[in-house]
Amino acid sequence: MDHKRTFGSFSIALALAAVGLSGSPAFAKPKRKGGESAAPTASAAEVNKLKAVRLGDPKAGTFKWGMKPEEILAQVQKSIDAKYVERIEKASQDPGKQQRIRDEKEREFQAVKKSYTKFEGNKTGWDVSIIGQEFEQNTGEAVIVTKEDIWTRYFFFFEDGLYKMFLAFNKDALEGKSFEEFGQGMQAKYGKAKEVYRDEKTKGGVRHVLDHYEWSAGGDRLRLVDRSEFYGVYCLVLFDGGTATRLAERRKIVNPGGEHHDSLVEAVTAKEDNSRDANDNIIDRLTGKETKKPGEEDKHADIVVPSPTHNGPTPAEVNAKSTPSSPSSSPEKESPKKKGANKKNDALDGLEL
């Protein structure tokens, strides 16, 4: 009899546990299309092209994980030199023009060199940029930026070793395609990907949104992420899985229990930040082009963030406006012309984000 009671109690406990496990969706993990299975393997040949120093040509040399910043700069310089060879040769009969081309080449390389930034705790323009979600401060991370034919490439370092490349496509490369359509094109190139979804809270409940596509590539990982909401582009992120795991552990130690804020949203809602790093757009400034921060693009010119501290004019202020201005009132300053507005476009046209 005691055995029967024990067995009955155990059966009831199992039934209750089953109800708990399959109960209200509010307590369950969101279901993700593609399941929790490992990401499919990407084409090794195509992944190697992403690492090529010269776009699409691994035989000309590749960037390798663990490379030091100075090694990356040396490879970038070779790539830039090769790009200008034909132009310099064509100008052989015009020494003046030839020198101007050489000067242009040197400015391009110096811009890449000056882009090298260590994230050591001082907030810069990078924190509110397209790569704002790709790093954290005080964790041994750094970045170098170079602009190439179809994308801007961001080299990320951990403890002075290359471990990630973030490739932001030029807007022209998107050809007006939606993220899903662009993802189909990338799958035709790299192979079938895992679709990873996220749940977004809305007024009507929860919306299931495609977050990114994901592939594995040996010890590497490849993702296609959507940055079109604020920047109008999609990006490929290729990284060394082992180093990324070590970095994640470092971040937990440096910022235990911390929350990684969405820099894209902060960039739009925050007030103008006058602490923008002098070198965060050094490549564009030195080459005569300007990369704008979120909220500065023409695309978002009509975004207005009202100030909660602003009150309407007082009666005295209204009356004052209807009377002649006093001698002490200062004339309105003429807004300065946009710096670099009349500069001639150069070889990097079409590469801005």
Side-chain angles (χ1 to χ4, degrees), residues 136-139 246-258:
E136 288 189 10
Q137 298 282 356
N138 295 317
T139 52
R246 289 197 299 112
L247 175 55
E249 293 302 318
R250 171 71 64 82
R251 289 178 176 179
K252 289 178 183 178
I253 295 172
V254 173
N255 188 22

Side-chain angles (χ1 to χ4, degrees), residues 84-250:
Y84 282 86
V85 167
E86 185 176 354
R87 289 179 61 195
I88 291 174
E89 289 179 349
K90 285 184 177 181
S92 59
Q93 302 302 315
D94 188 342
K97 182 178 180 180
Q98 201 173 54
Q99 185 58 49
R100 288 193 294 275
I101 296 173
R102 289 195 178 97
D103 291 343
E104 179 185 335
K105 180 184 71 172
E106 181 61 19
R107 284 196 301 272
E108 183 175 346
F109 174 68
Q110 288 302 320
V112 175
K113 188 175 180 180
K114 290 179 180 179
S115 74
Y116 178 49
T117 304
K118 292 183 177 181
F119 302 118
E120 297 178 322
N122 296 321
K123 187 173 182 180
T124 70
W126 291 128
D127 294 84
V128 287
S129 72
I130 195 170
I131 61 168
Q133 300 179 41
E134 300 299 322
F135 67 89
E136 288 189 10
Q137 298 282 356
N138 295 317
T139 52
E141 298 178 65
V143 71
I144 288 176
V145 188
T146 183
K147 294 195 172 185
E148 301 173 9
D149 292 338
I150 64 170
W151 53 46
T152 299
R153 189 193 299 255
Y154 299 82
F155 299 93
F156 282 91
F157 303 87
F158 175 51
E159 296 178 338
D160 285 333
L162 179 68
Y163 87 97
K164 177 169 66 176
M165 289 186 287
F166 183 95
L167 311 169
F169 284 96
N170 303 334
K171 292 179 182 178
D172 291 344
L174 272 57
E175 299 178 339
K177 295 178 180 178
S178 68
F179 185 53
E180 289 80 2
E181 290 171 335
F182 196 79
Q184 290 174 4
M186 292 295 99
Q187 290 183 86
K189 180 182 290 290
Y190 300 106
K192 179 65 177 176
K194 176 182 177 181
E195 296 179 359
V196 180
Y197 285 72
R198 69 178 185 277
D199 290 333
E200 285 187 352
K201 292 182 180 180
T202 65
K203 290 183 179 180
V206 177
R207 188 164 65 104
H208 210 42
V209 182
L210 177 61
D211 186 75
H212 64 270
Y213 293 92
E214 188 174 296
W215 298 263
S216 64
D220 297 346
R221 296 291 182 271
L222 177 64
R223 289 179 179 175
L224 176 67
V225 299
D226 186 356
R227 293 290 184 270
S228 62
E229 184 173 1
F230 292 101
Y231 299 97
V233 299
Y234 310 134
C235 311
L236 281 171
V237 190
L238 179 64
F239 59 97
D240 174 40
T243 304
T245 299
R246 289 197 299 112
L247 175 55
E249 293 302 318
R250 171 71 64 82

